Amino acid sequence: MKRILIIEDEECLLMMMAETLQMLGYTALSAADGACGVQMAIAEQPDFIFCDLNMPGIDGIETLKTIRQTASTANIPFVLLSGFADPAMRQRAAKLGATDFLTKPLSSVELLSTLNSRMNEAA
């Protein structure tokens, strides 16, 4: 069973994503901030990571940098989520190794489509 880590400080969105993934047979791991997300990624070695961009403390960019600089997590597909469709931020995220960048609000269809296509690319 594929394990998906969701790093998101907005509890309602975190729960919606986790429930959607669990209904489809994935194991959903969750972290409410970047620091916990990095620790969980290292400890759990998920197959995929969804991460909010704007979080208190360690934001999504710093979380991405740390995960990419850690040998055991460097190749995990990593998708940033943001309420802002800023082209400059998308470019920066891509340069840092983000697999994709999704704009909130996020539908279940978009979540699963991105997950499936990016996991197929990684395989």
Side-chain angles (χ1 to χ4, degrees), residues 1-6 14-30 46-50 77 108-121 123:
M1 186 178 307
K2 298 285 184 183
R3 298 172 332 132
I4 314 302
L5 173 59
I6 307 160
L14 177 64
M15 289 174 50
M16 181 279 294
M17 291 175 70
E19 288 174 9
T20 299
L21 293 169
Q22 289 170 347
M23 285 190 309
L24 293 166
Y26 295 100
T27 298
L29 308 169
S30 61
D47 298 291
F48 199 94
I49 298 171
F50 284 104
S108 297
V109 171
E110 188 176 16
L111 173 79
L112 297 172
S113 174
T114 300
L115 175 63
N116 289 331
S117 67
R118 298 306 181 211
M119 285 188 74
N120 287 337
E121 288 174 7

Side-chain angles (χ1 to χ4, degrees), residues 63 65 68 77 81 88-89 103 108:
T63 301
K65 284 181 186 177
R68 288 293 179 248
L81 310 171
M89 184 55 72
T103 304
S108 297

Side-chain angles (χ1 to χ4, degrees), residues 9-82:
D9 65 327
E10 189 178 320
E11 189 174 347
C12 290
L13 181 56
L14 177 64
M15 289 174 50
M16 181 279 294
M17 291 175 70
E19 288 174 9
T20 299
L21 293 169
Q22 289 170 347
M23 285 190 309
L24 293 166
Y26 295 100
T27 298
L29 308 169
S30 61
D33 61 48
C36 290
V38 169
Q39 290 175 352
M40 188 167 285
I42 293 168
E44 298 291 335
Q45 296 293 301
D47 298 291
F48 199 94
I49 298 171
F50 284 104
C51 181
D52 186 20
L53 178 63
N54 297 310
M55 297 182 288
I58 299 175
D59 68 8
I61 291 293
E62 290 304 314
T63 301
L64 172 61
K65 284 181 186 177
T66 303
I67 285 175
R68 288 293 179 248
Q69 292 170 355
T70 304
S72 65
T73 59
N75 295 316
I76 298 171
F78 189 106
V79 173
L80 277 168
L81 310 171
S82 177

